[in-house]
Amino acid sequence: MLASLIAIFLFFNCNKEESEMWTEVHVSAKNAHTGEPLSDIYIGLIEWDNRLLFDSKGKSISEGFTDTNGEYHFEWKARRGNGFTYDYVAQANPEKYYQENFQQIDFLKKGEIHHYNITLLPYAGLYYHIQNENCFDGTDSMWFKREHDLIDYQSEDWNPLPRVGCYSLFSDIPYDVPMGNYTFTMKIKRNGIITYLEKEITLIEGQVDTIELFY
């Protein structure tokens, strides 16, 4: 009995390794800021039957979510010929994750091992508290830009419309922004003199914090 099981196992693995059509998909999804696995990224693999030119039909050969380790794996023997093609589809909740550099669709070549590394940033909440604490007169002006340490993302790049005069603001609702480390740089013009001031803040997934831009 044992010999029969070993023979079946060896036969399967030899066929698998020797098959030109053996195809694999490996997905790893992580939080770009913390490196922790993301277990809610949807992965789908679709087989398209293109033999009827104007009636191509697709069917799922595998679908599900990344596991607790942020991994998804599937392997199969693809069908030969140009009549069948395969697509990879990945989706993340756009209300939960900032979607920069996120490959969602890809054409799969048969007989190859495909690796996909997904790194996403969940959203956090941010209030703005802006206050000119040392107002000189109505010509005071302040511009600011917001920079993330991992992504090329700025809400304002020296916005041409400054905060002027004895400006004061506390935002009524929090803004959804990607979690992580931010540097806020303020350009301040007061009594004809321009100075710069930086503030840093780290935003955590699911939490709401306040950036105090006091100048």
Side-chain angles (χ1 to χ4, degrees):
M1 180 66 178
L2 179 59
S4 298
L5 290 175
I6 293 174
I8 292 172
F9 175 79
L10 292 175
F11 175 78
F12 172 79
N13 278 276
C14 287
N15 280 348
K16 169 182 170 180
E17 292 174 359
E18 293 174 2
S19 172
E20 294 179 356
M21 294 294 101
W22 197 260
T23 309
E24 299 183 20
V25 170
H26 301 265
V27 180
S28 176
K30 295 181 179 180
N31 183 313
H33 177 71
T34 65
E36 296 176 343
L38 303 178
S39 60
D40 58 353
I41 308 303
Y42 170 84
I43 307 297
L45 304 177
I46 302 172
E47 179 185 76
W48 293 95
D49 184 347
N50 303 308
R51 291 173 297 179
L52 298 176
L53 183 60
F54 298 106
D55 190 26
S56 180
K57 294 182 179 179
K59 72 172 183 178
S60 172
I61 60 171
S62 176
E63 64 177 341
F65 293 88
T66 49
D67 61 21
T68 55
N69 296 316
E71 304 291 330
Y72 191 91
H73 169 75
F74 187 74
E75 54 187 65
W76 77 103
K77 186 176 180 179
R79 300 201 200 192
R80 291 183 179 274
N82 296 327
F84 294 92
T85 56
Y86 297 87
D87 283 345
Y88 159 87
V89 177
Q91 296 177 350
N93 185 347
E95 296 182 358
K96 182 177 180 180
Y97 296 106
Y98 176 70
Q99 308 277 316
E100 186 188 42
N101 296 329
F102 177 33
Q103 184 173 5
Q104 295 180 295
I105 300 175
D106 195 21
F107 171 77
L108 296 172
K109 292 183 179 180
K110 303 175 186 180
E112 294 190 3
I113 299 175
H114 303 268
H115 292 275
Y116 297 94
N117 294 315
I118 298 173
T119 55
L120 297 173
L121 285 168
Y123 281 112
L126 179 65
Y127 283 106
Y128 284 92
H129 188 184
I130 304 175
Q131 182 73 46
N132 185 349
E133 294 185 305
N134 187 25
C135 186
F136 179 74
D137 62 21
T139 66
D140 286 11
S141 300
M142 190 278 281
W143 303 258
F144 77 86
K145 65 179 179 178
R146 182 180 79 202
E147 298 176 288
H148 194 284
D149 69 336
L150 294 179
I151 55 179
D152 183 15
Y153 178 88
Q154 296 179 166
S155 66
E156 299 190 32
D157 185 9
W158 304 129
N159 193 312
L161 298 177
R163 280 76 179 166
V164 296
C166 302
Y167 189 87
S168 179
L169 169 74
F170 191 91
S171 52
D172 295 330
I173 58 174
Y175 291 85
D176 290 330
V177 296
M179 69 173 293
N181 301 321
Y182 286 88
T183 299
F184 287 78
T185 305
M186 292 179 284
K187 181 169 69 174
I188 304 156
K189 185 177 181 180
R190 180 181 287 119
N191 193 22
I193 300 173
I194 294 179
T195 57
Y196 293 87
L197 183 64
E198 286 189 354
K199 295 288 185 69
E200 295 181 350
I201 190 171
T202 298
L203 302 179
I204 306 301
E205 175 186 1
Q207 296 185 13
V208 180
D209 209 333
T210 300
I211 182 67
E212 295 180 336
L213 299 179
F214 296 167
Y215 61 99

